Amino acid sequence: MSPWTTNFLPRKTWNAVSTDGTGLNVIPRQPFPRHRAALLGAICLATLPAPLVLAQDDFFTDLNLDLKDNGPDRDAPFSVLGWVTQEVSYGYRRPDPPFSRTDRQLTQVETSLFTQLDWQLPDSLNFRFSGKAYHDAVFEIEDDTPYTPDERSLYRNRFEVRDFYLEKQFDNGLYLKAGHQIHAWGFAEYLRVTDLINTEDQYTLGQQDLEDLRLQVPSVQLSYSLQDWTLDAVMTYHAGYNDIAPAGDEFDQLLALQRDSWVIDREDPNSRAELFLRASTHYAAGDVQIVAGDYNNNQLTLNGITGIEQSGPVFQLVQQRMQSLGVAANRVNGSWLLFGELGLQRNAPVTPLNLEALYNPGGWEERNRLLGAFGVEYNGFSNTLLSLEVDNTHTRGDLQQLAIDRNQLGVGTRLYWTGLNERVELLSVWNRLANDQGSLIRVSLDYNWSDNWKFGLLWVDYSADRNSLYYGFRNNDMLQLNARFSFQR
């Protein structure tokens, strides 16, 4: 997960029916050019080993829109839902050069349309297709800003294919789902311990819409119920890596490599197939999941630097092959919810936290890591949910040349409040990144004017120390006004 991504909804609102999203269904996307994914992105995003990011676990479960009289005919084979969103964002600080934006100004005037089609075919076969189209007018409004061709090409107009799959429940208890889809596993919010399958939209850090965080991947899922346990097997092929901002963007994580004489070479992984297994069960007060995986790291890592003595260095970026085994569990006790995850990762690339070690000609070293997350949520106050999560990544082996702490601790807190018959929603999130790399504050206030209209205000504040790899993003604080019109037939 991206270091600065945030959960926007409380756990108590989750609906554990499925791992897709009916209202907030998200993203695999129609392939489009990846705009020079290179090292500093790997650098920056990999710096947050797993612990600093906010997972989107159950944000992709079914959402009941409850549109009263205009609800769909439950017996109809087709159902369509969607929304039109308008977002206007303003960056009120000045990022340092060489980002394209170096002044206070509008950073986004984006209109988007999301549409989802569900079709029930004969023989209990279900089909889902969804997509999202964007247009950002900021390039015409702020035409004095020297945006790069990559920024204009990616953000001005684009279309993304999201869910695109078939699913079937067989009479013998076997369930099959094939196509572009989301697999949201685990319970932790800020650290990926068992939630390993899907890539992420990291074009911005902490500013994405709910439905735009986890990206669908091409995969096949088989599930089978065996007494009190459910067994899941997921195989992906050519799932790719996390999407990062283009060259020149204020969240360009590869900015340190954007030089005329430097070349970025993204190598394909040795194997494009990935395999994940899960065994899960419910008990009276909670759930347990056991997850294993053999997969390619979703963050690009440095495999080596060649050509240093020639015209310019070539940075070879790869997806490191990793293996993991983890367990996740939660327990409800009155107004309290306790949850935790523990996992072992093998062959995990370790990102150094200083530039001298960062540009290692031999690439980044690999270590085995033990990841742990523990959290508590309390809903005993009226209309209020409070949560706290503490995460730690323990790196094994010799660390003298890696410039990192053996134990990297991250903390995340969240307050969620609703009022006026749940028409008003206030969410406040504070996340301290692991290894003291920085922090994020995110506050959103939304008002549900009607079943169709929703208006919101968003504020995001970034902070990073001078020696942090995220120091360049510290002036990306922003205010956003947004409106959404939802429809369903």
Side-chain angles (χ1 to χ4, degrees):
M1 302 289 290
S2 155
W4 279 325
T5 49
T6 51
N7 283 339
F8 309 133
L9 295 180
R11 187 183 301 268
K12 69 176 181 181
T13 65
W14 296 352
N15 178 341
V17 175
S18 75
T19 56
D20 314 308
T22 296
L24 294 179
N25 215 5
V26 248
I27 346 193
R29 308 144 347 130
Q30 193 175 44
F32 53 84
R34 287 193 177 270
H35 299 287
R36 307 166 66 187
L39 181 59
L40 188 53
I43 286 175
C44 288
L45 289 176
T47 20
L48 287 175
L52 336 137
V53 252
L54 315 177
Q56 296 303 311
D57 292 322
D58 292 83
F59 291 145
F60 305 98
T61 55
D62 286 337
L63 176 68
N64 296 321
L65 295 182
D66 190 17
L67 294 186
K68 295 184 178 178
D69 295 337
N70 350 358
D73 182 356
R74 300 302 178 189
D75 296 328
F78 291 94
S79 98
V80 178
L81 62 83
W83 52 81
V84 179
T85 304
Q86 180 65 57
E87 297 177 345
V88 179
S89 303
Y90 182 79
Y92 59 87
R93 297 189 187 275
R94 293 187 174 97
D96 296 331
F99 294 114
S100 298
R101 179 177 77 88
T102 57
D103 202 355
R104 301 183 181 97
Q105 66 178 61
L106 292 172
T107 60
Q108 183 185 46
V109 186
E110 184 180 84
T111 305
S112 62
L113 168 64
F114 171 83
T115 305
Q116 175 180 297
L117 165 69
D118 287 297
W119 183 16
Q120 185 172 352
L121 300 168
D123 300 324
S124 300
L125 186 64
N126 298 317
F127 170 75
R128 170 171 290 178
F129 174 83
S130 64
K132 192 169 185 179
Y134 303 82
H135 172 70
D136 196 340
V138 73
F139 301 102
E140 289 76 33
I141 297 173
E142 299 287 355
D143 57 356
D144 293 335
T145 302
Y147 293 111
T148 65
D150 285 347
E151 290 179 278
R152 296 176 183 273
S153 174
L154 175 61
Y155 291 140
R156 186 198 299 268
N157 294 294
R158 71 187 193 273
F159 175 75
E160 301 171 351
V161 172
R162 304 219 167 165
D163 283 311
F164 188 25
Y165 63 78
L166 289 165
E167 63 178 348
K168 180 176 176 59
Q169 178 71 57
F170 294 91
D171 294 336
N172 61 1
L174 184 67
Y175 170 79
L176 172 66
K177 186 177 179 183
H180 282 96
Q181 54 185 300
I182 294 291
H183 306 277
W185 294 0
F187 307 115
E189 302 285 336
Y190 301 88
L191 175 63
R192 278 201 169 192
V193 181
T194 59
D195 182 21
L196 304 170
I197 303 178
N198 294 94
T199 60
E200 288 186 349
D201 176 354
Q202 296 181 351
Y203 289 137
T204 61
L205 302 178
Q207 298 181 18
Q208 298 95 327
D209 290 338
L210 285 177
E211 68 272 24
D212 292 335
L213 292 172
R214 190 182 271 108
L215 303 176
Q216 285 93 333
V217 293
S219 61
V220 175
Q221 175 183 348
L222 283 173
S223 302
Y224 184 74
S225 296
L226 185 64
Q227 296 182 352
D228 295 333
W229 288 83
T230 299
L231 307 179
D232 299 290
V234 173
M235 175 174 285
T236 73
Y237 185 78
H238 200 14
Y241 47 84
N242 298 331
D243 284 349
I244 58 177
D249 185 82
E250 58 197 74
F251 285 104
D252 179 9
Q253 302 161 19
L254 309 180
L255 191 67
L257 299 182
Q258 308 293 0
R259 304 185 187 181
D260 292 339
S261 61
W262 290 14
V263 177
I264 297 168
D265 178 23
R266 289 166 296 179
E267 301 178 350
D268 291 332
N270 293 331
S271 174
R272 295 184 176 183
E274 302 171 296
L275 178 63
F276 304 88
L277 303 173
R278 179 176 68 168
S280 58
T281 187
H282 305 279
Y283 62 98
D287 311 273
V288 175
Q289 300 181 7
I290 302 172
V291 176
D294 180 38
Y295 56 98
N296 298 316
N297 187 12
N298 290 333
Q299 315 221 55
L300 291 172
T301 59
L302 180 63
N303 191 46
I305 305 175
T306 61
I308 299 178
E309 304 298 332
Q310 302 171 9
S311 58
V314 177
F315 294 85
Q316 298 173 331
L317 302 180
V318 300
Q319 290 181 262
Q320 176 62 40
R321 192 71 176 187
M322 299 172 54
Q323 297 78 38
S324 69
L325 177 65
V327 59
N330 63 17
R331 179 179 177 83
V332 176
N333 186 4
S335 299
W336 295 89
L337 171 67
L338 306 178
F339 61 92
E341 298 193 35
L342 185 66
L344 175 65
Q345 292 183 346
R346 294 184 65 250
N347 304 319
V350 179
T351 308
L353 298 185
N354 64 57
L355 290 178
E356 183 176 340
L358 197 62
Y359 300 108
N360 183 0
W364 297 341
E365 298 192 35
E366 304 166 10
R367 294 289 186 273
N368 294 339
R369 302 189 303 188
L370 183 66
L371 283 63
F374 175 78
V376 57
E377 294 187 352
Y378 180 72
N379 65 357
F381 299 117
S382 177
N383 300 325
T384 303
L385 179 69
L386 301 174
S387 67
L388 168 69
E389 181 177 319
V390 179
D391 306 316
N392 187 68
T393 297
H394 175 81
T395 304
R396 307 179 67 180
D398 182 14
L399 305 183
Q400 290 184 359
Q401 306 300 321
L402 299 184
I404 66 167
D405 294 333
R406 185 171 298 278
N407 291 292
Q408 301 180 58
L409 187 69
V411 180
T413 64
R414 185 181 60 195
L415 180 150
Y416 176 77
W417 175 84
T418 61
L420 298 179
N421 294 323
E422 298 188 350
R423 288 193 176 274
V424 176
E425 298 175 81
L426 172 67
L427 178 69
S428 176
V429 174
W430 176 78
N431 182 209
R432 181 65 179 176
L433 305 184
N435 236 39
D436 294 326
Q437 285 289 293
S439 63
L440 162 73
I441 299 174
R442 178 186 174 110
V443 180
S444 62
L445 180 65
D446 295 308
Y447 179 62
N448 295 282
W449 177 268
S450 67
D451 291 327
N452 301 101
W453 282 100
K454 180 178 182 180
F455 301 93
L457 173 67
L458 172 66
W459 171 58
V460 182
D461 179 87
Y462 301 93
S463 176
D465 299 331
R466 182 173 294 274
N467 59 351
S468 169
L469 291 179
Y470 301 95
Y471 183 71
F473 305 146
R474 71 194 184 284
N475 291 328
N476 291 346
D477 306 345
M478 56 83 76
L479 284 170
Q480 182 189 97
L481 295 173
N482 55 74
R484 170 173 292 185
F485 175 77
S486 301
F487 56 89
Q488 183 174 5
R489 292 181 62 85

